[in-house]
C-alpha cells in the first residue's frame, strides 16, 4: 500500500497506492494528513516497500 | 407582542408601546424590522448581522466539487468524496452514493445541494455504526469565537434539509484542540417527508478550551446521518463538555434502514452570535479560491489539457513545475490518476507517463516528476498534457 522513495534532492517521499488505482505522494511533514495516516499505519506494525 | 413604531400615510408616526422589551418598525402597518434580545432582525426574524465572510463554513451552498460531482458505492473510509471541504466518514452503515445535486429549496437562491442516497440498506446497525458529513475548520479562522474565555461567543447554525425520512437528526460541534476533546450536540427534526425545511440551531459559547491560532484543524461541524448505540445510548450532550461517546448522537434516526432513503442539505451557515442571518452567497470565484486553499484539481477539462511545463532530467524522467492558483494551507500531497493517459512531449519525443509523484513544494509552487518508460533526453524542455483523454487527474491537497 505504501512505498518510500527519495526525490531529486534526497528527501523521502512516501507514495500510497489508493483503492481506485491512483497514487498519492507526500513528504514527511507533520501537518500533512496523509503523513499522519501513514504514521498510524506504521504504528500498527506495517512496513512500507521501497520504490523501484 | 412588541412595541411598534408605525410610519403611515395618515398619522405620520404611531407609537404603540408594550412591555415585551422588543420593538418592531413598521411601514403602513407592515413590520419591516425588529429589535429583540438577539439583536436586529428582519420581519421574518432573520438576523440582520452584517459583514462579509461571517459564514465560517466554506462551500455551504455546495457549489464547488473539484473532485467530481458523484461518488457511488461508498461504504467505508474517512475521506473527501465529491464536494469540496465536505468530508465523509462511515462504518457499517450501508452503502451510499454521495453527490452534488440540483434539488434545492425553490426561490432561495441555491443551485446545488449535497445529496446522500442509500443504495444498500443496513436496518440492523452495529453498536459502532456511523455515517456523518463533516467540515473541519481551521483554528486561525476561529479566533473571533473567543472560545476558552469568559467572553466566548455563541454560534448559530442554519441550513436547509430535505429527506424522505422524518424524525430526529443530530448536528454537533467538536473541538479537537482541547485535551480529551469537547463537543456540543443539538437535535433538529425533519417534520415533513420530501419537503425542504430550514433549520436553525444555536450553540452556546464555550468558556473552556481555547482554539489554537494556527493553520490546523480546530473545530468540526458534523451532520450525523447514522449512529449505532455506541453513540446513542446515553443522554444527548446539549452543553459543551468532554467527549462521552454514548451522548454524541442520542435520538438520531437510522437513515440507512432503507434503500428508499435519501437526504439533501444545502445553505449551511455557521456564524457567530444568536439568530441566523440570511445565507451569505459569495461570488463563484471567491468560493472556489477558498476551497483551493485545501484542494486544487486539474484534469477532466480538455482531452489535451495542459498540466505544466518542465525539463527532461533523464531518458525516463521529466521534472514539471506548476504554479498553484492560491496559497495552499500547508503541506501538499499530490494524487494522480489515469497517468497512462498523460504524456510528456518535447517536440520529438512523445512518451506516456507511468508515474507522477511530488518532488518539491512551496505554498504556491509545486514541482513533480513524471516518469516514463523511455524516450526522453536530459535537458530538453517539455510539457505535460492529457493524451486525448478526459480521464487523467492531478489533484493537490492540503486538507485539514
Amino acid at each position: 500500500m505504501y512505498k518510500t522513495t527519495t526525490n531529486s534532492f534526497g528527501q523521502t517521499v512516501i507514495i500510497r497506492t489508493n483503492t481506485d488505482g491512483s497514487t498519492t505522494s507526500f513528504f514527511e511533514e507533520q501537518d500533512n494528513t496523509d503523513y499522519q495516516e501513514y504514521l498510524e499505519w506504521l504504528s500498527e506494525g506495517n512496513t512500507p516497500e521501497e520504490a523501484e | 407582542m412588541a412595541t411598534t413604531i408605525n410610519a403611515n400615510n395618515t398619522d405620520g408616526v404611531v407609537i404603540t408601546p408594550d412591555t415585551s422589551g422588543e420593538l418592531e418598525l413598521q411601514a403602513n402597518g407592515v413590520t419591516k424590522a425588529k429589535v429583540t434580545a438577539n439583536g436586529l432582525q428582519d420581519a421574518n426574524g432573520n438576523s440582520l448581522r452584517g459583514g462579509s465572510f461571517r459564514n465560517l463554513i466554506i462551500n455551504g451552498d455546495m457549489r464547488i466539487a473539484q473532485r467530481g460531482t458523484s461518488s457511488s458505492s461508498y461504504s467505508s473510509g474517512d475521506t473527501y468524496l465529491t464536494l469540496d471541504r465536505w468530508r465523509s466518514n462511515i462504518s457499517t452503515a450501508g452503502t451510499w452514493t454521495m453527490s452534488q445535486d440540483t434539488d434545492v429549496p425553490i426561490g432561495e437562491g441555491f443551485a446545488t445541494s449535497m445529496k446522500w442516497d442509500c443504495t444498500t440498506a443496513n436496518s440492523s446497525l452495529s453498536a459502532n455504526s456511523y455515517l456523518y458529513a463533516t467540515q473541519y475548520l481551521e483554528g486561525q479562522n476561529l479566533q473571533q469565537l473567543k472560545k476558552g474565555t469568559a467572553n466566548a461567543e455563541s454560534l448559530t447554525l442554519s441550513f436547509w434539509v430535505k429527506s424522505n425520512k422524518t424524525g430526529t437528526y443530530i448536528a454537533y460541534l467538536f473541538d479537537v484542540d482541547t485535551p480529551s476533546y469537547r463537543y456540543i450536540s443539538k437535535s433538529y427534526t425533519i417534520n415533513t417527508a420530501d419537503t425542504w425545511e430550514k433549520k436553525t440551531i444555536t450553540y452556546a459559547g464555550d468558556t473552556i478550551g481555547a482554539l489554537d491560532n494556527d493553520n490546523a484543524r480546530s473545530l468540526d461541524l458534523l451532520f450525523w446521518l447514522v449512529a449505532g448505540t455506541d453513540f446513542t445510548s446515553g443522554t444527548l450532550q446539549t452543553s459543551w463538555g468532554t467527549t462521552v461517546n454514548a451522548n454524541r448522537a442520542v435520538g438520531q434516526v437510522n437513515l440507512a434502514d432503507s434503500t428508499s432513503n435519501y437526504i439533501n442539505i444545502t445553505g449551511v451557515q455557521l456564524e457567530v452570535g444568536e439568530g441566523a442571518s440570511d445565507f451569505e452567497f459569495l461570488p463563484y470565484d471567491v468560493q472556489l479560491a477558498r476551497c483551493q486553499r485545501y484542494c486544487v484539481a486539474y484534469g477532466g477539462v480538455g482531452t489535451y489539457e495542459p498540466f505544466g511545463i518542465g525539463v527532461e532530467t533523464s531518458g525516463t524522467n521529466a521534472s514539471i513545475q506548476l504554479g498553484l492558483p492560491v496559497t495552499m494551507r500547508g503541506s501538499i500531497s499530490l494524487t494522480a490518476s489515469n497517468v497512462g493517459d498523460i504524456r510528456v512531449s518535447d517536440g520529438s519525443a512523445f512518451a506516456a507517463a507511468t508515474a507522477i509523484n511530488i518532488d518539491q513544494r512551496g505554498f504556491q509552487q509545486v514541482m513533480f516528476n513524471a516518469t516514463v518508460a523511455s524516450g526522453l533526453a536530459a535537458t530538453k524542455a517539455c510539457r505535460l498534457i492529457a493524451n486525448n483523454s478526459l480521464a487523467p487527474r492531478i489533484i493537490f491537497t492540503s486538507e485539514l
Side-chain angles (χ1 to χ4, degrees):
Chain A
M1 186 182 185
Y2 286 98
K3 293 180 180 178
T4 60
T5 186
T6 52
N7 67 1
S8 56
F9 302 92
Q11 298 164 315
T12 299
V13 173
I14 301 152
I15 303 167
R16 183 184 67 221
T17 301
N18 304 309
T19 53
D20 64 357
S22 65
T23 58
T24 300
S25 53
F26 51 90
F27 293 108
E28 296 174 306
E29 296 178 313
Q30 290 295 334
D31 72 332
N32 188 310
T33 54
D34 293 307
Y35 180 59
Q36 291 165 12
E37 283 179 25
Y38 170 70
L39 291 178
E40 197 174 315
W41 181 80
L42 287 180
S43 72
E44 292 167 357
N46 298 299
T47 307
E49 298 173 27
E50 270 195 35
E52 297 167 1
Chain B
M1 297 297 292
T3 295
T4 60
I5 300 177
N6 178 24
N8 64 30
N9 295 330
T10 53
D11 302 308
V13 174
V14 177
I15 300 175
T16 307
D18 75 1
T19 57
S20 64
E22 299 191 347
L23 178 66
E24 290 186 8
L25 301 178
Q26 300 180 338
N28 287 314
V30 178
T31 299
K32 299 296 183 182
K34 301 176 181 177
V35 180
T36 75
N38 290 335
L40 193 60
Q41 299 177 337
D42 67 15
N44 297 318
N46 295 317
S47 174
L48 292 175
R49 187 179 302 114
S52 299
F53 298 103
R54 63 185 182 281
N55 190 0
L56 301 174
I57 298 297
I58 297 173
N59 202 23
D61 53 356
M62 316 297 174
R63 266 196 298 179
I64 311 298
Q66 293 184 83
R67 292 175 175 87
T69 57
S70 184
S71 180
S72 60
S73 305
Y74 177 59
S75 61
S76 65
D78 179 9
T79 188
Y80 291 89
L81 295 171
T82 63
L83 293 158
D84 281 55
R85 306 303 308 124
W86 290 100
R87 191 177 178 97
S88 309
N89 201 354
I90 189 172
S91 178
T92 326
T95 304
W96 298 79
T97 295
M98 189 262 208
S99 61
Q100 183 189 46
D101 196 35
T102 55
D103 188 356
V104 293
I106 294 171
E108 298 296 333
F110 300 104
T112 46
S113 63
M114 169 170 59
K115 182 173 186 178
W116 289 89
D117 187 16
C118 183
T119 55
T120 303
N122 183 344
S123 57
S124 181
L125 298 177
S126 304
N128 62 351
S129 292
Y130 57 81
L131 169 62
Y132 54 77
T134 182
Q135 185 162 139
Y136 297 164
L137 307 179
E138 202 171 320
Q140 61 191 353
N141 291 336
L142 301 170
Q143 297 307 300
Q144 69 273 36
L145 306 189
K146 294 169 264 185
K147 190 173 178 298
T149 76
N151 298 323
E153 299 277 3
S154 56
L155 282 166
T156 296
L157 172 69
S158 56
F159 57 96
W160 288 86
V161 63
K162 173 183 174 181
S163 175
N164 65 300
K165 191 171 182 67
T166 58
T168 300
Y169 291 73
I170 304 297
Y172 96 164
L173 299 176
F174 187 57
D175 162 11
V176 299
D177 277 342
T178 306
S180 302
Y181 307 118
R182 291 176 65 77
Y183 75 92
I184 181 170
S185 285
K186 291 290 180 83
S187 65
Y188 63 94
T189 303
I190 295 181
N191 298 300
T192 307
D194 307 316
T195 305
W196 281 102
E197 299 174 17
K198 185 174 184 181
K199 305 298 176 186
T200 301
I201 298 169
T202 296
Y203 302 90
D206 188 11
T207 57
I208 297 173
L211 300 175
D212 296 339
N213 186 15
D214 61 17
N215 66 345
R217 170 188 171 196
S218 283
L219 188 72
D220 304 347
L221 167 67
L222 278 89
F223 288 101
W224 285 89
L225 305 179
V226 175
T229 53
D230 282 356
F231 310 103
T232 61
S233 58
T235 302
L236 192 66
Q237 185 168 306
T238 57
S239 301
W240 282 100
T242 53
T243 298
V244 179
N245 267 345
N247 297 343
R248 282 184 168 190
V250 180
Q252 171 66 46
V253 299
N254 177 14
L255 191 63
D257 65 4
S258 168
T259 55
S260 299
N261 290 353
Y262 72 90
I263 191 169
N264 287 68
I265 300 172
T266 195
V268 181
Q269 181 152 293
L270 183 67
E271 57 194 310
V272 171
E274 297 186 4
S277 62
D278 284 346
F279 184 82
E280 181 184 18
F281 288 96
L282 296 179
Y284 181 87
D285 57 325
V286 175
Q287 193 73 274
L288 175 61
R290 298 205 75 195
C291 292
Q292 286 176 326
R293 176 169 173 77
Y294 307 93
C295 175
V296 176
Y298 295 96
V301 173
T303 52
Y304 294 97
E305 183 174 345
F307 291 106
I309 57 173
V311 63
E312 295 168 9
T313 58
S314 72
T316 58
N317 189 74
S319 176
I320 307 296
Q321 187 161 342
L322 186 65
L324 297 167
V326 302
T327 300
M328 296 195 78
R329 180 192 65 85
S331 179
I332 293 171
S333 296
L334 186 163
T335 297
S337 58
N338 299 301
V339 297
D341 289 336
I342 296 177
R343 71 188 189 194
V344 179
S345 66
D346 61 15
S348 54
F350 175 102
T354 57
I356 291 178
N357 292 309
I358 198 162
D359 190 45
Q360 279 298 309
R361 67 94 182 163
F363 291 131
Q364 294 161 322
Q365 294 277 333
V366 287
M367 208 157 72
F368 55 94
N369 290 317
T371 306
V372 303
S374 64
L376 305 183
T379 73
K380 289 191 77 172
C382 65
R383 61 185 179 179
L384 192 70
I385 62 174
N387 189 13
N388 191 24
S389 174
L390 290 171
R393 305 295 306 274
I394 298 178
I395 299 176
F396 301 96
T397 53
S398 188
E399 296 286 0
L400 291 164

